[in-house]
Coordinates of all heavy atoms in Angstrom, one line a residue:
A122 N -6.9 -4.9 -2.9 CA -5.5 -5.4 -3.0 C -4.5 -4.4 -2.4 O -3.6 -4.8 -1.8 CB -5.2 -5.5 -4.6
S123 N -4.8 -3.1 -2.6 CA -4.0 -2.1 -2.0 C -4.1 -2.2 -0.4 O -3.0 -2.0 0.2 CB -4.4 -0.7 -2.4 OG -3.7 0.3 -1.8
E124 N -5.2 -2.4 0.1 CA -5.3 -2.4 1.6 C -4.7 -3.6 2.1 O -4.0 -3.6 3.2 CB -6.8 -2.4 2.0 CG -7.1 -2.4 3.5 CD -6.4 -1.3 4.2 OE1 -6.2 -0.2 3.6 OE2 -5.9 -1.5 5.4
L125 N -4.7 -4.8 1.4 CA -4.1 -6.0 1.9 C -2.6 -6.0 1.7 O -1.9 -6.3 2.7 CB -4.6 -7.2 1.2 CG -6.1 -7.6 1.5 CD1 -6.5 -8.7 0.5 CD2 -6.3 -8.0 2.9
F126 N -2.1 -5.6 0.6 CA -0.7 -5.7 0.2 C 0.1 -4.4 0.1 O 1.3 -4.5 -0.1 CB -0.6 -6.6 -1.1 CG -1.4 -7.8 -1.1 CD1 -2.3 -8.0 -2.1 CD2 -1.3 -8.7 -0.1 CE1 -3.1 -9.2 -2.1 CE2 -2.1 -9.9 0.0 CZ -3.0 -10.1 -1.1
G127 N -0.6 -3.2 0.1 CA 0.0 -2.0 -0.1 C 0.2 -1.6 -1.5 O -0.1 -2.4 -2.4
H128 N 0.6 -0.4 -1.8 CA 0.9 0.0 -3.2 C 2.1 1.0 -3.2 O 2.4 1.6 -2.2 CB -0.3 0.6 -3.8 CG -0.8 1.9 -3.2 ND1 -1.9 2.0 -2.4 CD2 -0.2 3.2 -3.2 CE1 -2.1 3.3 -2.0 NE2 -1.1 4.0 -2.5
E129 N 2.7 1.1 -4.3 CA 3.8 2.0 -4.5 C 3.3 3.4 -5.1 O 2.2 3.5 -5.7 CB 4.9 1.5 -5.5 CG 5.6 0.2 -5.0 CD 6.5 0.4 -3.9 OE1 6.7 1.6 -3.5 OE2 7.0 -0.6 -3.3
K130 N 4.0 4.4 -4.8 CA 3.6 5.7 -5.3 C 3.5 5.7 -6.9 O 4.3 5.2 -7.5 CB 4.6 6.8 -4.9 CG 4.3 8.2 -5.4 CD 5.4 9.2 -4.9 CE 5.1 10.6 -5.4 NZ 6.1 11.5 -5.0
G131 N 2.4 6.2 -7.4 CA 2.2 6.3 -8.8 C 1.7 5.0 -9.4 O 1.6 5.0 -10.7
S132 N 1.3 4.0 -8.6 CA 0.9 2.7 -9.2 C -0.5 2.8 -9.8 O -0.8 2.0 -10.6 CB 0.9 1.6 -8.2 OG 0.2 1.9 -7.0
F133 N -1.3 3.7 -9.4 CA -2.6 3.9 -10.0 C -3.0 5.4 -9.7 O -2.4 6.1 -8.9 CB -3.6 2.9 -9.5 CG -3.8 2.9 -8.0 CD1 -4.6 3.8 -7.3 CD2 -3.1 2.0 -7.3 CE1 -4.7 3.8 -5.9 CE2 -3.2 1.9 -5.9 CZ -4.0 2.8 -5.2
T134 N -4.1 5.8 -10.4 CA -4.6 7.2 -10.1 C -4.9 7.5 -8.7 O -5.7 6.7 -8.1 CB -5.8 7.4 -11.1 OG1 -5.4 7.2 -12.4 CG2 -6.3 8.9 -10.9
G135 N -4.4 8.4 -8.2 CA -4.6 8.8 -6.8 C -3.6 8.3 -5.8 O -3.6 8.6 -4.6
A136 N -2.7 7.4 -6.3 CA -1.6 6.8 -5.4 C -0.5 7.8 -5.3 O 0.6 7.7 -6.1 CB -1.1 5.5 -5.9
D137 N -0.6 8.9 -4.5 CA 0.4 10.0 -4.5 C 1.5 9.7 -3.5 O 2.4 10.5 -3.4 CB -0.3 11.3 -4.1 CG -1.1 11.2 -2.8 OD1 -1.2 10.1 -2.2 OD2 -1.6 12.2 -2.4
R138 N 1.4 8.5 -2.8 CA 2.5 8.2 -1.9 C 2.4 6.6 -1.7 O 1.4 6.0 -1.9 CB 2.4 8.9 -0.6 CG 1.2 8.7 0.2 CD 1.3 9.3 1.6 NE 0.1 9.0 2.4 CZ -0.8 10.0 2.7 NH1 -0.7 11.2 2.1 NH2 -1.9 9.7 3.4
R139 N 3.6 6.1 -1.2 CA 3.6 4.7 -0.9 C 2.6 4.4 0.3 O 2.5 5.1 1.3 CB 5.0 4.3 -0.5 CG 5.1 2.8 0.0 CD 6.5 2.5 0.5 NE 7.3 2.3 -0.7 CZ 8.6 1.9 -0.6 NH1 9.2 1.9 0.6 NH2 9.3 1.7 -1.6
H140 N 1.9 3.2 0.2 CA 1.0 2.7 1.3 C 1.4 1.4 1.7 O 1.7 0.5 0.8 CB -0.4 2.7 0.7 CG -1.5 2.1 1.7 ND1 -1.7 2.6 2.9 CD2 -2.1 0.9 1.6 CE1 -2.6 1.9 3.5 NE2 -2.8 0.8 2.8
V141 N 1.6 1.2 3.0 CA 2.0 -0.1 3.6 C 0.7 -0.8 3.9 O -0.2 -0.3 4.6 CB 2.8 0.1 4.8 CG1 3.1 -1.3 5.5 CG2 4.1 0.8 4.5
G142 N 0.5 -2.1 3.4 CA -0.7 -2.8 3.5 C -0.8 -3.6 4.8 O 0.1 -3.6 5.6
A143 N -1.9 -4.2 5.0 CA -2.3 -4.9 6.3 C -1.3 -6.1 6.6 O -0.9 -6.2 7.7 CB -3.6 -5.5 6.2
F144 N -0.8 -6.7 5.5 CA 0.1 -7.9 5.7 C 1.4 -7.4 6.3 O 2.0 -8.1 7.1 CB 0.2 -8.7 4.5 CG -0.9 -9.8 4.3 CD1 -2.1 -9.4 3.8 CD2 -0.6 -11.0 4.7 CE1 -3.1 -10.4 3.6 CE2 -1.6 -12.0 4.6 CZ -2.9 -11.7 4.0
E145 N 1.9 -6.2 5.8 CA 3.2 -5.7 6.3 C 2.9 -5.1 7.7 O 3.8 -5.3 8.6 CB 3.7 -4.6 5.4 CG 4.3 -5.1 4.1 CD 5.0 -4.0 3.3 OE1 6.1 -3.5 3.7 OE2 4.3 -3.5 2.4
R146 N 1.8 -4.4 8.0 CA 1.5 -3.8 9.2 C 1.3 -4.9 10.3 O 1.6 -4.7 11.5 CB 0.2 -2.9 9.2 CG 0.4 -1.8 8.2 CD -0.6 -0.7 8.5 NE -2.0 -1.3 8.6 CZ -2.8 -1.4 7.5 NH1 -2.4 -1.0 6.3 NH2 -4.0 -1.8 7.6
G147 N 0.9 -6.0 9.9 CA 0.6 -7.2 10.8 C 1.7 -8.0 11.1 O 1.6 -9.1 11.8
H148 N 2.9 -7.7 10.6 CA 4.1 -8.5 10.7 C 4.4 -8.8 12.2 O 4.5 -7.9 13.0 CB 5.3 -7.9 10.1 CG 6.5 -8.8 10.1 ND1 6.8 -9.7 9.2 CD2 7.7 -8.7 10.9 CE1 8.0 -10.3 9.5 NE2 8.5 -9.7 10.5

């Protein structure tokens, strides 16, 4: 889910920064 859609900082253990997922990168 994180790889596809990205995640916000602090959304789960180890999420120390925002991550932009494949759907955003593929825009």
Side-chain angles (χ1 to χ4, degrees):
S123 173
E124 181 57 32
L125 290 176
F126 312 124
H128 65 252
E129 297 290 352
K130 180 180 178 179
S132 57
F133 55 84
T134 302
D137 54 357
R138 62 172 181 253
R139 171 184 284 179
H140 172 66
V141 176
F144 275 81
E145 284 187 79
R146 300 197 306 272
H148 184 79

